[in-house]
Amino acid sequence: MAGAPPPPEIGLLAYPQAQLAAIHGLTDLFVIADRLARKRLGKSETLLRVSHLSLCETDGRVVRTFDTSPGAGGEPVVVILPPSLGDPAAGENRAGLVDFLKVRYAAGTVLASVCAGAFLLAETGLLNGRAATTHWTYADDLAQRFPDVQVDTNKLIIDDGDIITAGGLMAWTDLGLKLVDRLLGSAMMIETARFLLVDPPGREQRYYSIFSPRLGHGDAAILKVQHWLQKAGLRDITACAMAAKAGLEERTFLRRFRKATGLKPTEYCQHLRVDKAREMLEATTRPIDQIAWDVGYDDPGSFRKVFIKVIGLAPGDYRRRFGAETTSAHSP
């Protein structure tokens, strides 16, 4: 009678300058999930295997340097590329890793990345034509280096079935829980999240990202308007007024503005207004309707719709999550 198949293995790829905190944190998360699952099911055998994978310098193979089930055989069902602490676009000594990832993907392994790990994943070409996320500060770099990748940093995780990308530096917790859900079930995912005191997956990266306008595009007329918008306040700003400030005919201005910034002027102003509103929601107890007025909206309802569209949370929910504590409201 054949022996039991090996437990599903999650391989953590320790490429050069990979963040060790994420590798060890994910290891702990999966080990805890395995322990909780075995306790719940009354089983003694391992249900989830974790390994660390590194490129061997002598023969160029990717080998296990750590394994919670040594000698179990089989290959990883998931390989995770953790964040990088170095230049995310650095490509030194990656050819062997890229080849390994392609081979594993062709054999049915799910590939996953966290934060800057998306750059190494994109080098395989497997993200071409797909949506992917990374840390919001790396979005432009990833899009410029890999133009065939549809970069979307609004989302913290994009699960495309056989490829999963996660955004922020600490999004490995979200990715880890999503994989626990996939491999051990939702009940164990919730129990693991509860044990670790972390939120289950469902957050969005746009809750945390700050609007960073493109300023290095080289169009002096558009840059002049961008600087003006930062200083002038945003009430009663029109495309006509912006075009006049740029010294351009309006149609020409609209075309050049979108090419330079990646946004229509109305969208750009919305992002600026929402960013100012976020600062007020975080740092003050000013009423939301007053904040709407202060950042240029006459209609509080319109402000709320735009805020939700850009941030993914209503202004009140954003304040409850990120605002300063208002202890004065509870004072005697």
Side-chain angles (χ1 to χ4, degrees):
M1 184 175 178
E9 176 186 353
I10 300 175
L12 306 173
L13 190 61
Y15 61 91
Q17 294 192 301
Q19 185 194 33
L20 296 180
I23 293 174
H24 294 303
L26 280 165
T27 301
D28 291 343
L29 186 151
F30 294 131
V31 167
I32 288 169
D34 174 68
R35 187 181 71 200
L36 293 173
R38 285 189 284 116
K39 181 179 180 181
R40 173 181 281 243
L41 298 174
K43 294 182 177 291
S44 58
E45 65 271 19
T46 299
L47 299 176
L48 202 59
R49 178 183 181 186
V50 188
S51 63
H52 297 176
L53 309 172
S54 295
L55 191 65
C56 181
E57 294 182 359
T58 56
D59 58 15
R61 292 183 306 116
V62 173
V63 297
R64 295 183 183 92
T65 57
F66 170 85
D67 192 346
T68 57
S69 299
E75 297 291 347
V77 298
V78 180
V79 170
I80 299 175
L81 286 66
S84 170
L85 293 181
D87 178 359
E92 298 178 6
N93 303 320
R94 288 191 172 186
L97 296 174
V98 168
D99 290 342
F100 166 77
L101 292 170
K102 289 180 178 179
V103 169
R104 291 300 340 131
Y105 178 79
T109 295
V110 174
L111 302 182
S113 67
V114 183
C115 191
F119 284 80
L120 176 53
L121 184 54
E123 286 182 35
T124 65
L126 298 172
L127 287 180
N128 290 352
R130 292 182 181 241
T133 189
T134 184
H135 194 286
W136 59 272
T137 60
Y138 295 146
D140 287 345
D141 289 342
L142 184 64
Q144 289 171 12
R145 186 171 181 199
F146 303 101
D148 292 330
V149 179
Q150 301 165 16
V151 181
D152 180 2
T153 55
N154 283 333
K155 297 178 181 177
L156 197 63
I157 287 187
I158 295 178
D159 185 347
D160 213 12
D162 53 353
I163 293 180
I164 307 172
T165 54
L169 199 66
M170 293 298 294
W172 60 261
T173 59
D174 301 82
L175 174 63
L177 291 171
K178 180 170 279 290
L179 291 173
V180 170
D181 190 0
R182 181 180 289 200
L183 297 172
L184 297 178
S186 57
M188 291 316 309
M189 182 272 287
I190 294 295
E191 189 168 341
T192 303
R194 184 179 296 119
F195 183 89
L196 294 172
L197 297 179
V198 296
D199 290 337
R203 299 180 294 154
E204 293 188 39
Q205 189 168 188
R206 56 182 171 165
Y207 299 172
Y208 309 92
S209 61
I210 300 170
F211 178 51
S212 298
R214 297 181 189 174
L215 301 174
H217 45 71
D219 190 326
I222 301 304
L223 183 61
K224 179 182 178 181
V225 173
Q226 289 177 275
H227 288 321
W228 175 62
L229 289 173
Q230 292 289 156
K231 299 175 183 177
L234 296 165
R235 179 166 296 283
D236 301 324
I237 295 293
T238 65
C240 182
M242 287 187 270
K245 190 70 177 178
L248 298 171
E249 188 270 334
E250 187 170 344
R251 183 179 296 178
T252 302
F253 166 75
L254 293 174
R255 175 177 54 80
R256 284 173 55 176
F257 190 93
R258 185 161 193 176
K259 180 181 179 182
T261 68
L263 296 168
K264 298 177 182 177
T266 52
E267 294 171 332
Y268 190 92
C269 289
Q270 284 176 350
H271 279 279
L272 288 178
R273 287 170 174 148
V274 166
D275 231 37
K276 290 182 181 298
R278 288 171 60 146
E279 294 176 7
M280 296 180 193
L281 289 167
E282 291 172 8
T284 76
T285 59
R286 194 174 305 169
I288 291 173
D289 287 1
Q290 180 63 52
I291 290 176
W293 173 265
D294 290 343
V295 299
Y297 287 92
D298 296 330
D299 178 10
S302 297
F303 164 70
R304 285 177 169 82
K305 288 179 182 178
V306 171
F307 195 93
I308 292 171
K309 177 184 176 183
V310 174
I311 302 297
L313 291 171
D317 293 334
Y318 184 87
R319 170 171 273 168
R320 281 187 287 274
R321 185 182 284 256
F322 299 107
E325 294 184 358
T326 55
T327 54
S328 59
H330 305 287
S331 300

